[in-house]
Structure formats: structure tokens, C-alpha cells
Amino acid sequence: MKNQTGVLLARLMRNIMRSPDTIITVAITPIMMMLLFVYVFGGAIKAGTGSYVNYLLPGILLMAIASGVAYTSLRLFNDVKGGLMARFITMPIKRSSILWAHVLTSLVSNALTVLVVFLVALLMGFRSNADLLSWLAVAGILGLFTLALTWLAVIPGLTANSMEGATTYSYPLIFLPFISSAFVPTETMPRIVRAFAENQPVTSIVNAIRALLYNGAVGSDIWIALAWCVGIMILSYIIASKQFKRQLG
């Protein structure tokens, strides 16, 4: 299975490397948002931190990942509608390798996008005093978040009837950070909005990453963040796997 997944992964990565503008395009929107909020709105936003780019960065990273997973759905949709998926299942290939290749491709491509966003943030003044263990924890959370959203993306990739349908689902995910602690503290929000913001996954994930990067008190946020990521990933994996079996037999 490992060799089969590796071959399929290499195929997808070659397609991405032939068109690196995919990664650049995915990174552009989060970077533009970061530039806009830091240099235009940053002076008027009181986030309780000396550097607004430091406060903003965790939410921007989640936006970048949410944008990137839409391409997983699109690549899968193209394989299904183009007949390539049907051809694969007639070959001596373990069927789970087909989906895992798309998932791992998403993990690699989104890691490259996150790296690009990090480099831009460094140029804008981002600084962190986190130790190696904290950085590894941040990487782990971002990886789990990517896997969770990617398995979620597999579902419309298999079921959509159009290219637009395969990618439209990602729009709410991209804008979910706006109703969270990603841009401003939730204490500044009206009661109903604050209740939603404090009980949705992005806030706990952002708070956990922020605490790890700047030696804050992680508290229960990291466990809530992990629970959200693992829960979404497991549920999406089960639904995607059942849909894959139902659709291709």
C-alpha cells in the first residue's frame, strides 16, 4: 500500500509542481488579509499585544489551510469526472491508496503554503520566543487541522456535480476565523456572537497556537483544539470512505 500511495502521491505532486501558481494563489488571499489588517486596520484594533501581526498570524494560517484544501476537492472531482478514478479501481491498487494520495498531497502542498505565509509574516515583524517543543506542537496542530479539513474536502470532491460545487463548501471555512478570536478578542463581541465565537473550533485552535508561539498559558485550549481536529477528521473519514465505496463499488 505504501508504494502504491507513494506513486499516486508523486503523480499529484508533479501536477502541482508543473503549476506552482496553485500554491502561490492559495497563499495570496491570506497574505493580502494579513497586510490589510496589520497596516490598515491594525492601528485601530486593540488586541492586547505589542505586535498585531503576532496576534493575527495563527488565524491567517488557518485561513490559508482552508483555502488550500479546496484544491484537494477539485483534484479529486477532476479524477472522478475525467474517468481516471474508474481506471484506477480496475488496476491492482488498494482503493484506500487513491484517497490517501490526495490527502497526503494536501498535507504537503498546504505545508508549503504555510511556510510562504510564515516567511511573509517574518518580513512584517513576526517574532516568537517559542522553544523547539512548542514549535513541534504548533506544527502538529496545523497538520491535524489540515488532515481534518482535507478529509472533509474529499466528500464534495466525490459527490459534487460541478467544479463550483466541489469548491464552494470551502468558503464558510475560510471566513470562519472572522467570527473567532483570530482578529480580535472575543470579549469585544456582542453576547450572541461571542457565544458562537468561543464555542467553535477556530477559536480554541487559534488560542492554542498563540499560547505556544508566545509562551502563554495553553490551558484547556490545546485539548479542545485537538478534540475538534480529531473529531472532524474521524467523522469526515468515515463519511468519505462510505461514499467512496458506494460510488465506485
Side-chain angles (χ1 to χ4, degrees):
M1 175 182 170
K2 290 182 179 179
N3 290 337
Q4 295 169 351
T5 304
V7 171
L8 294 173
L9 171 63
R11 175 187 74 90
L12 293 167
M13 289 305 302
R14 279 196 298 271
N15 291 338
I16 291 176
M17 292 308 168
R18 289 188 187 121
S19 181
D21 57 300
T22 299
I23 295 174
I24 297 171
T25 301
V26 169
I28 281 178
T29 298
I31 288 172
M32 292 302 294
M33 292 297 300
M34 187 163 57
L35 290 170
L36 177 67
F37 273 85
V38 171
Y39 293 125
V40 178
F41 302 137
I45 297 176
K46 304 299 180 183
T49 180
S51 174
Y52 187 53
V53 68
N54 284 355
Y55 186 91
L56 188 69
L57 182 60
I60 294 295
L61 295 176
L62 299 192
M63 287 182 66
I65 292 170
S67 300
V69 296
Y71 281 92
T72 299
S73 185
L74 181 61
R75 285 190 291 267
L76 194 53
F77 170 81
N78 287 335
D79 278 359
V80 171
K81 295 303 178 183
L84 192 58
M85 190 73 73
R87 185 179 301 176
F88 279 149
I89 66 173
T90 64
M91 301 171 65
I93 297 174
K94 191 174 179 63
R95 294 188 178 184
S96 60
S97 298
I98 300 172
L99 293 185
W100 273 109
H102 281 276
V103 171
L104 294 177
T105 300
S106 173
L107 197 61
V108 174
S109 61
N110 276 293
L112 294 174
T113 300
V114 165
L115 179 60
V116 172
V117 175
F118 259 120
L119 292 175
V120 174
L122 282 171
L123 294 176
M124 295 173 63
F126 162 73
R127 297 294 181 270
S128 170
N129 54 1
D131 57 20
L132 178 60
L133 189 60
S134 296
W135 275 108
L136 290 175
V138 169
I141 292 172
L142 291 175
L144 274 177
F145 183 72
T146 303
L147 286 173
L149 293 195
T150 300
W151 277 111
L152 187 62
V154 169
I155 300 170
L158 292 171
T159 59
N161 294 317
S162 66
M163 186 180 300
E164 292 76 15
T167 57
T168 300
Y169 87 98
S170 67
Y171 297 154
L173 299 177
I174 295 171
F175 289 102
L176 201 57
F178 287 101
I179 315 176
S180 72
S181 62
F183 295 95
V184 295
T186 56
E187 292 80 5
T188 63
M189 300 176 183
R191 183 178 301 176
I192 296 177
V193 178
R194 178 180 177 181
F196 173 80
E198 291 180 346
N199 293 281
Q200 58 116 323
V202 170
T203 291
S204 57
I205 296 171
V206 164
N207 289 346
I209 293 174
R210 196 176 281 145
L212 289 167
L213 288 177
Y214 313 121
N215 292 333
V218 178
S220 62
D221 281 318
I222 190 167
W223 303 113
I224 297 173
L226 292 175
W228 272 112
C229 290
V230 172
I232 293 171
M233 181 172 61
I234 291 174
L235 181 61
S236 299
Y237 173 79
I238 293 171
I239 296 173
S241 298
K242 287 184 177 179
Q243 180 59 40
F244 185 58
K245 292 177 182 178
R246 184 184 304 117
Q247 186 167 334
L248 300 178

